[in-house]
Each structure stands twice: as C-alpha cells, then as structure tokens.
C-alpha cells in the first residue's frame, strides 16, 4: 500500500480535491435518504443503520469506500439544524463560509499552545478576541469551547482573585454548568435563588447579598436555555456594585445581540460585569465550537499562565515569541477563531445583525401564530429566538408524548422545558431560511400529534 497523502503541504490541495467531491456527494445522498429533520425509527433503528454502515471498526485491510459510506451514514442519521423543522436546541445551522474556513483549519492543523505551531493563527486570535471584547465594553477575551468552558473559567478567575471560599450566587434558571463548575473547582455550595418568573429577581438578590458573608460571585444570565430570557442586568449590576461583589454574566445565548443596533439595548448592563461568556455557535451561525470568555481586567488572565520549557521557554519569550499558555486551560487547541474571523469580515457587523434581527422577528411571528391558534397555548412572548408552547388542554404526559412521537417518526425536532409548573414544547428558531410555511407546518405537526 502506498503512503496516504497529506492534507497540507504543496500537494495537500490536490489530494483533498477529489475527497471533497466524495464528501459533498455523500452529504447530498445522505440528506436525501434521511428525507427530513432527523432519521426515523428512534435510537435502536439509527444505531442499527450506523452499525451496518460501519462494519468492522478495525478491519484487517482498509476499505477505500469508507469515506463515502460513513459520511453518507452520518448525514442520513443526522439531526440537521438546517432543516426548518429541526428547532429544539441552541444548535444553529452553520454558515457555509464559516464551514469552509473550518476546513482550512483542519487541513493546516495549527495548535495554539505555542507560537511556532501557529504563527498566523496566534496573531489572528489576538486581534479578533480583542475586537469582540471591545464590542461589549470589556478589555480582552480568550477562546473557549463554548459557554460551559467559559463559565468554568469565570469561576476559576473569581477563585484566583478572591480565594477558594468565593461562593457562587445564581438563580434556579442559571445554566447547569455554573453549579457544576463550582463543584469541579472545590468552591462552597452555590446559593441558588428561586426564579419563579424565569429570571433573577434583583430584590431577592439584594436580600441574599445583605445576609451572606465572605467573597461572593453573582452569575446573571443573558439568554436562559429554557425560555431565552434575559435577567434585569442593570438592576443586578447595581446591586453587585452596592455590595461590592463580583459579577459574571452568562451571555452565551444572547451576547451576540451586541452586534445588533435594533436589539443591543437588551444587553444594557453587560459592560458592568467582571467576566462575560459569549458563544458564536448559537446566534453566530458558527460550526461547533466557537466560544469566548471576555474579561474586564486583562491582568486577571495571568492566573492561567503556565511554564513549559518546550512551549514557552523564558528566553524565547524575552526574545519576542508570544507566550500562548496563558490564553487557555487547554494545551493543544485548534484555531477556532478563523471561522469567526472569516464570518465577521465576510458579513460585517450589519450582515450578522441582520441575521440576528431576522430570527428574533421569526420567533415573534411564530408566537403570533400560536396566540391566534385555538388549539395551542403560548407560554409568553419571546425575548430571543426561543418560543414555548403546548397543545391547549393537554397534560404534561401528552406534551411529552407529542415530542417523542415526532422524534421517533423523524418529522420534527422540538425541545422541552418546564415553566410555570407545566411542561412546554420548545422551539428555538435559529434558521434564518425558515419561512411562514415552515412555521405553519411545525404547528400543524405539534397539534396533530396530541394523544386523545
């Protein structure tokens, strides 16, 4: 067997070109075979089809058709966020230009743990993260794998700034990664405040901060996972300032609104935070993963610094080679910044803002349709792109059955959320290509599958 070709180097593009044709063809045939937003038959049927396509995981001799067969199987068995009826999660359909940029990263395979592995990528990351941080009024940002890692980093920086007894204060609607990060970092048990309205109540927060002692970290949310709600950030920031406690804002969902002139006011108070989590693989249409943690005080990132002589020797740093180990808790990491940089430059701020405005308007239109439909009930008007609704007069078991039936039959992907003591179907409308007919079809499916 001849030595397989490489993806980069002088012959890399020629080696990739026919393989890309194979991949694109398999994506097309797999999507056609699926015929909808996700495969029909449920977990057992999907697993059986994957097993059949995979065959022997480690065969004695290779199969030259493996690329086509497995890409086809993956596409045929995908929950495709580009299908308008795939609307359960904060799982966006990635932009074609961002996906193409991501291919270049895979081919070149830079690693951002030392400058000599990623010279241009390290310079690009520094410029883009600085610009994104400035857009929300903070000093700097580091790249993360998403909101979960960003939240964990925020708690880590709080611990390094205020000691191991710093205590997290958050609402019951805060993302699960925040209390988990407190556990991972060995911090005291969080103080979790009730959130009957779905957001953090400033009065309840003020009362808690008055009674609690020791260093505290308040975590607010700009875009809750269940309902897409934004905490009253200015009031929360004022309470934190009055009590002299640290503020982190998890804006993984809603932070991209900073790009929109029309919706930016919803983030008023964001610049008062010490740290902010951002995530462009939600309202940014990037392939996973494209997250950030922005900081108000760039010197706090010094806490991440590590010395490894083979990566950032002191004399190399003194000679001017950038030290990258203080930009993440990870060592090997790919330059996910390229796809974001390409997107920002290709669409511009206004181009991305138009997409954001479009899907938020889509959510409002969807809510209008639900309110006008006698067989459906709307939880509340949406703040972002998430809409909660349910078949009227249905119990929670029936609502859950609607969702599972649509999943099993491969006809629609809807999420679920508890609010106001009841279970709701959740539509997260992140696809800017979704049209009125798609919305009508989604509602018809939800209503038509309600058990008698």
């Amino acid at each position: 067997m001849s030595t397989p070709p490489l993806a980069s180097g002088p012959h890399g593009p020629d080696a990739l070109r026919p393989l890309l044709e194979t991949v694109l063809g398999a994506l097309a045939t797999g999507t056609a075979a699926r015929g909808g937003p996700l495969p029909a038959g449920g977990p057992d049927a999907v697993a059986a089809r994957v097993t059949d396509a995979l065959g022997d995981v480690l065969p004695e001799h290779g199969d030259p058709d493996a690329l086509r067969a497995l890409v086809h199987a993956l596409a045929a068995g995908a929950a495709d966020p580009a299908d308008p009826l795939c609307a359960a999660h904060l799982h966006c359909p990635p932009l074609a230009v961002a996906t193409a940029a991501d291919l270049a990263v895979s081919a070149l395979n830079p690693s951002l743990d030392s400058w000599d592995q990623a010279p241009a990528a390290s310079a690009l990351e520094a410029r883009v993260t600085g610009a994104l941080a400035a857009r929300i009024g903070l000093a700097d940002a580091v790249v993360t794998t998403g909101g979960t890692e960003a939240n964990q980093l925020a708690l880590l920086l709080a611990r390094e700034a205020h000691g191991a007894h710093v205590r997290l204060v958050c609402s019951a609607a805060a993302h699960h990664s925040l209390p988990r990060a407190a556990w991972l970092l060995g911090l005291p048990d969080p103080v979790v405040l009730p959130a009957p309205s779905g957001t953090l109540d400033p009065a309840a927060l003020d009362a808690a901060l008055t009674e609690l002692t020791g260093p505290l970290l308040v975590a607010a949310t700009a875009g809750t996972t269940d309902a897409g709600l934004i905490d009253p950030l200015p009031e929360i920031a004022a309470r934190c300032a009055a009590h002299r406690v640290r503020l982190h804002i998890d804006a993984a969902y809603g932070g991209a609104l900073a790009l929109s002139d029309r919706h930016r006011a919803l983030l008023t108070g964001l610049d008062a935070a010490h740290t902010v989590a951002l995530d462009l693989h939600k309202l940014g249409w990037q392939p996973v993963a494209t997250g950030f943690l922005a900081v108000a005080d760039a010197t706090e990132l010094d806490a991440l610094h590590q010395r490894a002589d083979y990566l950032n020797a002191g004399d190399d740093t003194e000679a001017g080679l950038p030290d990258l180990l203080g930009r993440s808790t990870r060592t090997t990491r790919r330059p996910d910044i390229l796809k974001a940089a390409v997107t920002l430059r290709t669409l511009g701020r206004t181009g991305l803002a138009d997409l954001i405005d479009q899907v938020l308007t889509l959510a409002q239109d969807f809510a209008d349709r639900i309110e006008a439909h006698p067989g459906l009930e709307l939880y509340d008007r949406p703040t972002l792109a998430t809409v909660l609704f349910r078949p009227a007069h249905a119990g929670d078991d029936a609502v859950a059955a609607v969702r599972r039936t649509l999943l099993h039959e491969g006809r629609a992907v809807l999420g679920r959320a508890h609010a106001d003591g009841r279970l709701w179907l959740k539509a997260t409308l992140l696809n800017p290509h979704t049209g009125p007919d798609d919305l009508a079809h989604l509602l018809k499916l939800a209503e038509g599958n309600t058990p008698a």
Side-chain angles (χ1 to χ4, degrees), residues 159-176:
R159 187 190 72 180
E160 295 307 294
H162 301 287
H165 297 293
V166 65
R167 194 172 189 186
L168 172 67
V169 181
C170 63
S171 84
H175 195 263
H176 65 85

mmCIF file with all atom_site columns, all heavy atoms in Angstrom, residues 159-176:
data_model
loop_
_atom_site.group_PDB
_atom_site.id
_atom_site.type_symbol
_atom_site.label_atom_id
_atom_site.label_alt_id
_atom_site.label_comp_id
_atom_site.label_asym_id
_atom_site.label_entity_id
_atom_site.label_seq_id
_atom_site.pdbx_PDB_ins_code
_atom_site.Cartn_x
_atom_site.Cartn_y
_atom_site.Cartn_z
_atom_site.occupancy
_atom_site.B_iso_or_equiv
_atom_site.pdbx_formal_charge
_atom_site.auth_seq_id
_atom_site.auth_comp_id
_atom_site.auth_asym_id
_atom_site.auth_atom_id
_atom_site.pdbx_PDB_model_num
ATOM 1   N N   . ARG A 1 159 ? -12.083 32.638 41.721 1.00 0.00 ? 159 ARG A N   1
ATOM 2   C CA  . ARG A 1 159 ? -11.383 31.964 42.808 1.00 0.00 ? 159 ARG A CA  1
ATOM 3   C C   . ARG A 1 159 ? -9.967  32.491 42.966 1.00 0.00 ? 159 ARG A C   1
ATOM 4   O O   . ARG A 1 159 ? -9.486  32.726 44.091 1.00 0.00 ? 159 ARG A O   1
ATOM 5   C CB  . ARG A 1 159 ? -11.337 30.452 42.542 1.00 0.00 ? 159 ARG A CB  1
ATOM 6   C CG  . ARG A 1 159 ? -10.766 29.639 43.705 1.00 0.00 ? 159 ARG A CG  1
ATOM 7   C CD  . ARG A 1 159 ? -10.508 28.202 43.302 1.00 0.00 ? 159 ARG A CD  1
ATOM 8   N NE  . ARG A 1 159 ? -9.365  28.082 42.396 1.00 0.00 ? 159 ARG A NE  1
ATOM 9   C CZ  . ARG A 1 159 ? -8.925  26.938 41.884 1.00 0.00 ? 159 ARG A CZ  1
ATOM 10  N NH1 . ARG A 1 159 ? -9.568  25.812 42.163 1.00 0.00 ? 159 ARG A NH1 1
ATOM 11  N NH2 . ARG A 1 159 ? -7.891  26.913 41.079 1.00 0.00 ? 159 ARG A NH2 1
ATOM 12  N N   . GLU A 1 160 ? -9.284  32.699 41.836 1.00 0.00 ? 160 GLU A N   1
ATOM 13  C CA  . GLU A 1 160 ? -7.905  33.188 41.911 1.00 0.00 ? 160 GLU A CA  1
ATOM 14  C C   . GLU A 1 160 ? -7.850  34.629 42.411 1.00 0.00 ? 160 GLU A C   1
ATOM 15  O O   . GLU A 1 160 ? -6.884  35.030 43.063 1.00 0.00 ? 160 GLU A O   1
ATOM 16  C CB  . GLU A 1 160 ? -7.245  33.081 40.537 1.00 0.00 ? 160 GLU A CB  1
ATOM 17  C CG  . GLU A 1 160 ? -7.074  31.647 40.050 1.00 0.00 ? 160 GLU A CG  1
ATOM 18  C CD  . GLU A 1 160 ? -6.355  30.784 41.079 1.00 0.00 ? 160 GLU A CD  1
ATOM 19  O OE1 . GLU A 1 160 ? -5.164  31.045 41.339 1.00 0.00 ? 160 GLU A OE1 1
ATOM 20  O OE2 . GLU A 1 160 ? -6.977  29.851 41.625 1.00 0.00 ? 160 GLU A OE2 1
ATOM 21  N N   . ALA A 1 161 ? -8.889  35.405 42.121 1.00 0.00 ? 161 ALA A N   1
ATOM 22  C CA  . ALA A 1 161 ? -8.905  36.806 42.555 1.00 0.00 ? 161 ALA A CA  1
ATOM 23  C C   . ALA A 1 161 ? -9.359  36.963 43.999 1.00 0.00 ? 161 ALA A C   1
ATOM 24  O O   . ALA A 1 161 ? -8.909  37.887 44.700 1.00 0.00 ? 161 ALA A O   1
ATOM 25  C CB  . ALA A 1 161 ? -9.814  37.620 41.635 1.00 0.00 ? 161 ALA A CB  1
ATOM 26  N N   . HIS A 1 162 ? -10.241 36.069 44.482 1.00 0.00 ? 162 HIS A N   1
ATOM 27  C CA  . HIS A 1 162 ? -10.871 36.283 45.787 1.00 0.00 ? 162 HIS A CA  1
ATOM 28  C C   . HIS A 1 162 ? -10.715 35.119 46.749 1.00 0.00 ? 162 HIS A C   1
ATOM 29  O O   . HIS A 1 162 ? -11.255 35.173 47.863 1.00 0.00 ? 162 HIS A O   1
ATOM 30  C CB  . HIS A 1 162 ? -12.363 36.596 45.590 1.00 0.00 ? 162 HIS A CB  1
ATOM 31  C CG  . HIS A 1 162 ? -12.608 37.804 44.748 1.00 0.00 ? 162 HIS A CG  1
ATOM 32  N ND1 . HIS A 1 162 ? -12.379 39.087 45.190 1.00 0.00 ? 162 HIS A ND1 1
ATOM 33  C CD2 . HIS A 1 162 ? -13.037 37.921 43.465 1.00 0.00 ? 162 HIS A CD2 1
ATOM 34  C CE1 . HIS A 1 162 ? -12.670 39.945 44.225 1.00 0.00 ? 162 HIS A CE1 1
ATOM 35  N NE2 . HIS A 1 162 ? -13.056 39.261 43.165 1.00 0.00 ? 162 HIS A NE2 1
ATOM 36  N N   . GLY A 1 163 ? -10.020 34.071 46.347 1.00 0.00 ? 163 GLY A N   1
ATOM 37  C CA  . GLY A 1 163 ? -9.755  32.972 47.255 1.00 0.00 ? 163 GLY A CA  1
ATOM 38  C C   . GLY A 1 163 ? -10.700 31.801 47.077 1.00 0.00 ? 163 GLY A C   1
ATOM 39  O O   . GLY A 1 163 ? -11.744 31.898 46.423 1.00 0.00 ? 163 GLY A O   1
ATOM 40  N N   . ALA A 1 164 ? -10.315 30.689 47.683 1.00 0.00 ? 164 ALA A N   1
ATOM 41  C CA  . ALA A 1 164 ? -11.025 29.422 47.480 1.00 0.00 ? 164 ALA A CA  1
ATOM 42  C C   . ALA A 1 164 ? -12.385 29.376 48.157 1.00 0.00 ? 164 ALA A C   1
ATOM 43  O O   . ALA A 1 164 ? -13.129 28.405 47.978 1.00 0.00 ? 164 ALA A O   1
ATOM 44  C CB  . ALA A 1 164 ? -10.170 28.268 47.986 1.00 0.00 ? 164 ALA A CB  1
ATOM 45  N N   . HIS A 1 165 ? -12.728 30.406 48.939 1.00 0.00 ? 165 HIS A N   1
ATOM 46  C CA  . HIS A 1 165 ? -14.021 30.403 49.624 1.00 0.00 ? 165 HIS A CA  1
ATOM 47  C C   . HIS A 1 165 ? -15.043 31.279 48.915 1.00 0.00 ? 165 HIS A C   1
ATOM 48  O O   . HIS A 1 165 ? -16.141 31.511 49.453 1.00 0.00 ? 165 HIS A O   1
ATOM 49  C CB  . HIS A 1 165 ? -13.855 30.867 51.076 1.00 0.00 ? 165 HIS A CB  1
ATOM 50  C CG  . HIS A 1 165 ? -12.984 29.956 51.888 1.00 0.00 ? 165 HIS A CG  1
ATOM 51  N ND1 . HIS A 1 165 ? -13.350 28.659 52.216 1.00 0.00 ? 165 HIS A ND1 1
ATOM 52  C CD2 . HIS A 1 165 ? -11.743 30.134 52.421 1.00 0.00 ? 165 HIS A CD2 1
ATOM 53  C CE1 . HIS A 1 165 ? -12.384 28.087 52.919 1.00 0.00 ? 165 HIS A CE1 1
ATOM 54  N NE2 . HIS A 1 165 ? -11.396 28.958 53.050 1.00 0.00 ? 165 HIS A NE2 1
ATOM 55  N N   . VAL A 1 166 ? -14.702 31.767 47.711 1.00 0.00 ? 166 VAL A N   1
ATOM 56  C CA  . VAL A 1 166 ? -15.682 32.561 46.972 1.00 0.00 ? 166 VAL A CA  1
ATOM 57  C C   . VAL A 1 166 ? -16.892 31.692 46.667 1.00 0.00 ? 166 VAL A C   1
ATOM 58  O O   . VAL A 1 166 ? -16.773 30.526 46.282 1.00 0.00 ? 166 VAL A O   1
ATOM 59  C CB  . VAL A 1 166 ? -15.070 33.155 45.689 1.00 0.00 ? 166 VAL A CB  1
ATOM 60  C CG1 . VAL A 1 166 ? -14.684 32.070 44.689 1.00 0.00 ? 166 VAL A CG1 1
ATOM 61  C CG2 . VAL A 1 166 ? -16.019 34.152 45.052 1.00 0.00 ? 166 VAL A CG2 1
ATOM 62  N N   . ARG A 1 167 ? -18.081 32.278 46.860 1.00 0.00 ? 167 ARG A N   1
ATOM 63  C CA  . ARG A 1 167 ? -19.314 31.488 46.749 1.00 0.00 ? 167 ARG A CA  1
ATOM 64  C C   . ARG A 1 167 ? -20.176 32.005 45.609 1.00 0.00 ? 167 ARG A C   1
ATOM 65  O O   . ARG A 1 167 ? -20.410 33.213 45.482 1.00 0.00 ? 167 ARG A O   1
ATOM 66  C CB  . ARG A 1 167 ? -20.095 31.553 48.057 1.00 0.00 ? 167 ARG A CB  1
ATOM 67  C CG  . ARG A 1 167 ? -21.195 30.514 48.175 1.00 0.00 ? 167 ARG A CG  1
ATOM 68  C CD  . ARG A 1 167 ? -21.787 30.516 49.567 1.00 0.00 ? 167 ARG A CD  1
ATOM 69  N NE  . ARG A 1 167 ? -22.697 29.390 49.760 1.00 0.00 ? 167 ARG A NE  1
ATOM 70  C CZ  . ARG A 1 167 ? -23.442 29.218 50.848 1.00 0.00 ? 167 ARG A CZ  1
ATOM 71  N NH1 . ARG A 1 167 ? -23.367 30.106 51.840 1.00 0.00 ? 167 ARG A NH1 1
ATOM 72  N NH2 . ARG A 1 167 ? -24.244 28.185 50.947 1.00 0.00 ? 167 ARG A NH2 1
ATOM 73  N N   . LEU A 1 168 ? -20.637 31.095 44.793 1.00 0.00 ? 168 LEU A N   1
ATOM 74  C CA  . LEU A 1 168 ? -21.485 31.432 43.660 1.00 0.00 ? 168 LEU A CA  1
ATOM 75  C C   . LEU A 1 168 ? -22.915 31.708 44.132 1.00 0.00 ? 168 LEU A C   1
ATOM 76  O O   . LEU A 1 168 ? -23.473 30.955 44.924 1.00 0.00 ? 168 LEU A O   1
ATOM 77  C CB  . LEU A 1 168 ? -21.491 30.269 42.661 1.00 0.00 ? 168 LEU A CB  1
ATOM 78  C CG  . LEU A 1 168 ? -22.478 30.346 41.494 1.00 0.00 ? 168 LEU A CG  1
ATOM 79  C CD1 . LEU A 1 168 ? -22.105 31.480 40.545 1.00 0.00 ? 168 LEU A CD1 1
ATOM 80  C CD2 . LEU A 1 168 ? -22.522 29.017 40.748 1.00 0.00 ? 168 LEU A CD2 1
ATOM 81  N N   . VAL A 1 169 ? -23.485 32.798 43.611 1.00 0.00 ? 169 VAL A N   1
ATOM 82  C CA  . VAL A 1 169 ? -24.888 33.128 43.843 1.00 0.00 ? 169 VAL A CA  1
ATOM 83  C C   . VAL A 1 169 ? -25.545 33.235 42.464 1.00 0.00 ? 169 VAL A C   1
ATOM 84  O O   . VAL A 1 169 ? -25.119 34.040 41.624 1.00 0.00 ? 169 VAL A O   1
ATOM 85  C CB  . VAL A 1 169 ? -25.065 34.459 44.602 1.00 0.00 ? 169 VAL A CB  1
ATOM 86  C CG1 . VAL A 1 169 ? -26.545 34.743 44.835 1.00 0.00 ? 169 VAL A CG1 1
ATOM 87  C CG2 . VAL A 1 169 ? -24.307 34.428 45.917 1.00 0.00 ? 169 VAL A CG2 1
ATOM 88  N N   . CYS A 1 170 ? -26.555 32.427 42.221 1.00 0.00 ? 170 CYS A N   1
ATOM 89  C CA  . CYS A 1 170 ? -27.208 32.437 40.911 1.00 0.00 ? 170 CYS A CA  1
ATOM 90  C C   . CYS A 1 170 ? -28.679 32.087 41.073 1.00 0.00 ? 170 CYS A C   1
ATOM 91  O O   . CYS A 1 170 ? -29.130 31.735 42.170 1.00 0.00 ? 170 CYS A O   1
ATOM 92  C CB  . CYS A 1 170 ? -26.533 31.461 39.954 1.00 0.00 ? 170 CYS A CB  1
ATOM 93  S SG  . CYS A 1 170 ? -26.615 29.719 40.462 1.00 0.00 ? 170 CYS A SG  1
ATOM 94  N N   . SER A 1 171 ? -29.432 32.199 39.990 1.00 0.00 ? 171 SER A N   1
ATOM 95  C CA  . SER A 1 171 ? -30.845 31.846 40.045 1.00 0.00 ? 171 SER A CA  1
ATOM 96  C C   . SER A 1 171 ? -31.038 30.390 39.654 1.00 0.00 ? 171 SER A C   1
ATOM 97  O O   . SER A 1 171 ? -30.158 29.758 39.063 1.00 0.00 ? 171 SER A O   1
ATOM 98  C CB  . SER A 1 171 ? -31.662 32.751 39.110 1.00 0.00 ? 171 SER A CB  1
ATOM 99  O OG  . SER A 1 171 ? -31.639 32.249 37.787 1.00 0.00 ? 171 SER A OG  1
ATOM 100 N N   . ALA A 1 172 ? -32.227 29.872 39.933 1.00 0.00 ? 172 ALA A N   1
ATOM 101 C CA  . ALA A 1 172 ? -32.545 28.496 39.562 1.00 0.00 ? 172 ALA A CA  1
ATOM 102 C C   . ALA A 1 172 ? -32.592 28.324 38.053 1.00 0.00 ? 172 ALA A C   1
ATOM 103 O O   . ALA A 1 172 ? -32.534 27.196 37.556 1.00 0.00 ? 172 ALA A O   1
ATOM 104 C CB  . ALA A 1 172 ? -33.875 28.096 40.178 1.00 0.00 ? 172 ALA A CB  1
ATOM 105 N N   . ALA A 1 173 ? -32.694 29.441 37.314 1.00 0.00 ? 173 ALA A N   1
ATOM 106 C CA  . ALA A 1 173 ? -32.725 29.371 35.852 1.00 0.00 ? 173 ALA A CA  1
ATOM 107 C C   . ALA A 1 173 ? -31.344 29.474 35.226 1.00 0.00 ? 173 ALA A C   1
ATOM 108 O O   . ALA A 1 173 ? -31.220 29.423 33.998 1.00 0.00 ? 173 ALA A O   1
ATOM 109 C CB  . ALA A 1 173 ? -33.613 30.493 35.296 1.00 0.00 ? 173 ALA A CB  1
ATOM 110 N N   . ALA A 1 174 ? -30.304 29.613 36.038 1.00 0.00 ? 174 ALA A N   1
ATOM 111 C CA  . ALA A 1 174 ? -28.945 29.706 35.502 1.00 0.00 ? 174 ALA A CA  1
ATOM 112 C C   . ALA A 1 174 ? -28.533 28.393 34.848 1.00 0.00 ? 174 ALA A C   1
ATOM 113 O O   . ALA A 1 174 ? -29.060 27.319 35.175 1.00 0.00 ? 174 ALA A O   1
ATOM 114 C CB  . ALA A 1 174 ? -27.964 30.074 36.615 1.00 0.00 ? 174 ALA A CB  1
ATOM 115 N N   . HIS A 1 175 ? -27.582 28.463 33.946 1.00 0.00 ? 175 HIS A N   1
ATOM 116 C CA  . HIS A 1 175 ? -27.129 27.273 33.233 1.00 0.00 ? 175 HIS A CA  1
ATOM 117 C C   . HIS A 1 175 ? -26.499 26.270 34.198 1.00 0.00 ? 175 HIS A C   1
ATOM 118 O O   . HIS A 1 175 ? -25.799 26.642 35.144 1.00 0.00 ? 175 HIS A O   1
ATOM 119 C CB  . HIS A 1 175 ? -26.120 27.674 32.156 1.00 0.00 ? 175 HIS A CB  1
ATOM 120 C CG  . HIS A 1 175 ? -25.861 26.599 31.154 1.00 0.00 ? 175 HIS A CG  1
ATOM 121 N ND1 . HIS A 1 175 ? -24.782 25.740 31.241 1.00 0.00 ? 175 HIS A ND1 1
ATOM 122 C CD2 . HIS A 1 175 ? -26.551 26.233 30.041 1.00 0.00 ? 175 HIS A CD2 1
ATOM 123 C CE1 . HIS A 1 175 ? -24.810 24.896 30.214 1.00 0.00 ? 175 HIS A CE1 1
ATOM 124 N NE2 . HIS A 1 175 ? -25.866 25.167 29.474 1.00 0.00 ? 175 HIS A NE2 1
ATOM 125 N N   . HIS A 1 176 ? -26.748 25.000 33.927 1.00 0.00 ? 176 HIS A N   1
ATOM 126 C CA  . HIS A 1 176 ? -26.263 23.941 34.824 1.00 0.00 ? 176 HIS A CA  1
ATOM 127 C C   . HIS A 1 176 ? -24.752 23.919 34.956 1.00 0.00 ? 176 HIS A C   1
ATOM 128 O O   . HIS A 1 176 ? -24.204 23.397 35.932 1.00 0.00 ? 176 HIS A O   1
ATOM 129 C CB  . HIS A 1 176 ? -26.751 22.570 34.334 1.00 0.00 ? 176 HIS A CB  1
ATOM 130 C CG  . HIS A 1 176 ? -26.178 22.169 33.008 1.00 0.00 ? 176 HIS A CG  1
ATOM 131 N ND1 . HIS A 1 176 ? -24.964 21.546 32.873 1.00 0.00 ? 176 HIS A ND1 1
ATOM 132 C CD2 . HIS A 1 176 ? -26.662 22.319 31.753 1.00 0.00 ? 176 HIS A CD2 1
ATOM 133 C CE1 . HIS A 1 176 ? -24.709 21.321 31.598 1.00 0.00 ? 176 HIS A CE1 1
ATOM 134 N NE2 . HIS A 1 176 ? -25.725 21.780 30.887 1.00 0.00 ? 176 HIS A NE2 1
#
